[in-house]
């Protein structure tokens, strides 16, 4: 890591570093880009994190900062609570995928006002609208959202799957709309959260996810929500154009941020090939007459939209990435305007320093002519 990048890492972790006894040594380790970091908690126990576990370490220090109480019990298990009542356990010596996701979920959820409980069966109208349950069932950790949608803890991306979709509710269109019987095309379904979100509102969903790891995770999550899954068709294909598409992935996190439009990973990109459909093919193949909502989160494939397709759509929700001269958000907005849509741009990430010209969200609705 470069020095400038290391200073940025120190900036993010500094507010939570007071919780450890070797604060100064940790900052020096990060500044000099050492291969591992050691933290010493107040009971004189040391825990080591490899360089690529920086984010996990940040999440740990964050939740210890937010906690009302915590302790290290046998076998280096952290037991932490945020309300003196509900405890959650994390293995600090052998951090599993579930542990990593639990740390991230507790950290981000606390920042966005979530209260966590460790019992199942959230009861409607008896819990806050930001109550999230995390509990064990058949040997697996389950996460249950405020509106009773369930996920396997090891089959989510906590920030996207739970926080953005069910806490920030970034995919809300108009809260008073009746979605019963309406059709949503979900492009970039990831772990199944948006498909389940719209199905919970009553919509029928055709969901496309290109990345096999995410598709498999979505299948697992749909299996926990039998009634909702009956409204969802989940398909392991990319959207944007017909044919075999070359996807660029991060070697560290291949299931996050993948794209066939942009190679953001440079020479280190992992390459996978995925069969793709154009939206024209989707309409024919799945006998779609009209799309009530097209949701797109596909890292550049939104620029495949055209006027013919837009004629068949009432509303669009796009997470756009516009970082090349021939793919500019202005061009996308002009296309939508020329096709009879009114658009709003908004941000969802409070930590992002990027301009809305580069990335953000668009909600567009087709203008209805008044008699």
């Amino acid at each position: 890591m470069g020095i400038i990048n290391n200073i940025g890492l120190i900036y993010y972790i500094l507010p939570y570093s007071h919780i450890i006894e070797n604060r100064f040594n940790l900052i020096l380790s990060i500044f000099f880009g050492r291969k591992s970091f050691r933290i010493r908690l107040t009971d004189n126990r040391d825990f080591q994190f490899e360089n690529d576990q920086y984010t996990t370490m940040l999440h740990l220090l964050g939740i210890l900062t937010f906690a009302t109480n915590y302790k290290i019990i046998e076998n280096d298990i952290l037991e932490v609570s945020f309300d003196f009542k509900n405890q959650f356990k994390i293995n600090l010596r052998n951090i599993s995928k579930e542990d990593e996701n639990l740390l991230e979920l507790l950290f981000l959820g606390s920042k966005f006002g979530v209260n966590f409980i460790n019992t199942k069966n959230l009861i409607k109208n008896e819990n806050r609208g930001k109550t999230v349950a995390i509990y064990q069932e058949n040997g697996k950790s389950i996460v249950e959202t405020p509106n009773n949608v369930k996920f396997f803890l090891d089959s989510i991306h906590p920030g996207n799957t739970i926080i953005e979709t069910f806490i920030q509710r970034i995919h809300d269109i108009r809260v008073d709309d009746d979605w019963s019987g309406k059709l949503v095309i979900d492009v970039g379904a990831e772990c199944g959260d948006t498909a389940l979100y719209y199905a919970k509102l009553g919509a029928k969903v055709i969901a496309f996810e290109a990345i096999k790891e995410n598709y498999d995770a979505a299948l697992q999550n749909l299996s926990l929500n039998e009634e909702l899954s009956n409204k969802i068709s989940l398909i392991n294909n990319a959207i944007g154009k017909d044919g075999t598409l070359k996807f660029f992935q991060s070697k560290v996190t291949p299931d996050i941020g993948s794209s066939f439009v942009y190679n953001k990973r440079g020479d280190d990109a992992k390459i996978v090939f995925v069969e793709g459909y154009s939206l024209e093919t989707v309409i024919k193949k799945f006998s779609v007459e009209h799309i009530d909502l097209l949701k797109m989160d596909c890292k550049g494939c939104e620029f495949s939209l055209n006027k013919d397709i837009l004629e068949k759509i009432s509303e669009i929700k796009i997470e756009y990435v516009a970082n090349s001269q021939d793919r500019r958000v202005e061009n996308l907005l002009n296309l939508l305007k020329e096709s009879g849509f009114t658009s709003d741009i908004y941000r969802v990430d409070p930590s992002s320093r990027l301009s809305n010209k580069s990335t953000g969200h668009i909600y567009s609705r087709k203008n209805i002519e008044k008699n």
Side-chain angles (χ1 to χ4, degrees):
M1 298 182 183
I3 293 296
I4 298 300
N5 185 68
N6 293 347
I7 291 173
L9 297 180
I10 293 171
Y11 170 82
Y12 282 113
I13 210 165
L14 196 61
Y16 312 112
S17 61
H18 67 282
I19 204 75
I20 59 174
E21 293 188 345
N22 61 328
R23 177 183 186 183
F24 184 68
N25 288 338
L26 174 64
I27 291 171
L28 286 178
S29 295
I30 296 173
F31 181 81
F32 288 111
R34 291 172 183 161
K35 293 182 178 180
S36 63
F37 310 124
R38 182 175 58 85
I39 63 172
R40 175 171 294 172
L41 300 182
T42 52
D43 60 356
N44 288 322
R45 295 205 191 191
D46 288 0
F47 296 94
Q48 184 167 301
F49 293 83
E50 299 306 311
N51 190 288
D52 60 4
Q53 292 180 299
Y54 166 87
T55 301
T56 299
M57 180 177 67
L58 169 65
H59 296 157
L60 170 62
L61 297 185
I63 68 170
L64 294 182
T65 298
F66 302 148
T68 55
N69 56 293
Y70 71 88
K71 60 183 177 180
I72 307 295
I73 58 178
E74 68 278 359
N75 300 319
D76 292 326
I77 303 296
L78 170 68
E79 186 177 84
V80 61
S81 176
F82 301 92
D83 59 4
F84 299 104
K85 297 186 298 183
N86 296 275
Q87 286 82 34
F88 303 93
K89 295 181 179 180
I90 300 115
N91 187 333
L92 295 183
R93 289 294 178 194
N94 185 22
I95 297 178
S96 66
K97 181 65 174 179
E98 280 193 353
D99 291 324
E100 285 184 1
N101 281 354
L102 179 57
L103 285 167
E104 182 177 352
L105 181 57
L106 293 175
F107 175 70
L108 294 177
S110 296
K111 294 183 73 173
F112 283 96
V114 172
N115 63 288
F116 294 99
I117 63 175
N118 57 15
T119 55
K120 62 185 298 186
N121 298 325
L122 285 166
I123 301 173
K124 189 176 182 180
N125 298 327
E126 291 189 14
N127 297 102
R128 288 179 67 237
K130 288 190 175 184
T131 298
V132 170
I134 306 171
Y135 54 86
Q136 291 288 313
E137 191 170 82
N138 299 323
K140 297 282 288 184
S141 294
I142 306 297
V143 180
E144 187 173 343
T145 70
N147 59 345
N148 304 110
V149 179
K150 299 176 183 179
F151 296 87
F152 286 106
L153 180 58
D154 63 0
S155 298
I156 62 173
H157 302 142
N160 298 345
T161 311
I162 306 299
I163 303 304
E164 286 191 349
T165 301
F166 294 95
I167 302 303
Q168 289 182 274
R169 296 176 66 92
I170 68 169
H171 301 290
D172 269 356
I173 303 302
R174 288 192 293 267
V175 294
D176 294 331
D177 283 357
D178 181 5
W179 285 89
S180 300
K182 291 187 176 181
L183 176 63
V184 174
I185 301 293
D186 182 359
V187 178
E190 206 170 80
C191 300
D193 52 298
T194 43
L196 287 163
Y197 178 80
Y198 288 117
K200 185 70 175 180
L201 293 177
K204 176 184 176 183
V205 184
I206 303 177
F208 295 90
E209 174 51 46
I211 304 308
K212 187 62 164 57
E213 296 93 333
N214 290 340
Y215 171 78
D216 290 341
L219 283 177
Q220 291 295 312
N221 293 325
L222 263 60
S223 72
L224 281 174
N225 301 273
E226 184 176 353
E227 183 178 345
L228 296 179
S229 66
N230 291 332
K231 301 178 183 178
I232 300 169
S233 298
L234 182 65
I235 301 157
N236 184 204
N237 287 100
I239 298 298
K241 58 183 179 179
D242 295 314
T244 301
L245 306 180
K246 183 178 181 179
F247 269 77
F248 302 96
Q249 299 178 306
S250 164
K251 290 185 177 179
V252 178
T253 55
D255 51 350
I256 298 176
S258 300
S259 174
F260 72 87
V261 178
Y262 303 114
N263 179 9
K264 298 188 295 181
R265 310 301 177 181
D267 294 337
D268 292 332
K270 174 184 175 182
I271 305 297
V272 298
F273 294 92
V274 181
E275 287 303 307
Y277 295 143
S278 65
L279 283 169
E280 288 86 349
T281 296
V282 168
I283 286 172
K284 294 175 183 177
K285 185 176 181 66
F286 297 94
S287 301
V288 174
E289 295 182 1
H290 181 77
I291 301 170
D292 293 291
L293 173 68
L294 173 64
K295 171 257 170 180
M296 305 186 82
D297 178 6
C298 49
K299 306 300 183 287
C301 87
E302 61 270 18
F303 289 96
S304 66
L305 289 169
N306 58 63
K307 289 184 178 180
D308 289 339
I309 287 296
L310 291 172
E311 285 184 2
K312 298 181 178 294
I313 300 169
S314 293
E315 297 177 275
I316 304 176
K317 193 270 175 187
I318 302 171
E319 181 173 348
Y320 64 88
V321 177
N323 56 7
S324 68
Q325 189 59 36
D326 58 338
R327 297 184 182 92
R328 301 166 62 219
V329 68
E330 298 97 314
N331 298 343
L332 193 56
L333 291 169
N334 287 336
L335 172 64
L336 291 165
K337 183 177 180 180
E338 291 169 2
S339 300
F341 287 82
T342 299
S343 300
D344 302 315
I345 287 183
Y346 61 98
R347 303 170 65 84
V348 302
D349 183 355
S351 65
S352 173
R353 300 175 186 176
L354 296 175
S355 164
N356 288 359
K357 294 179 69 174
S358 300
T359 185
H361 292 246
I362 297 173
Y363 165 59
S364 296
R365 62 226 166 262
K366 186 163 287 182
N367 300 323
I368 300 175
E369 294 183 3
K370 297 182 179 179
N371 294 327

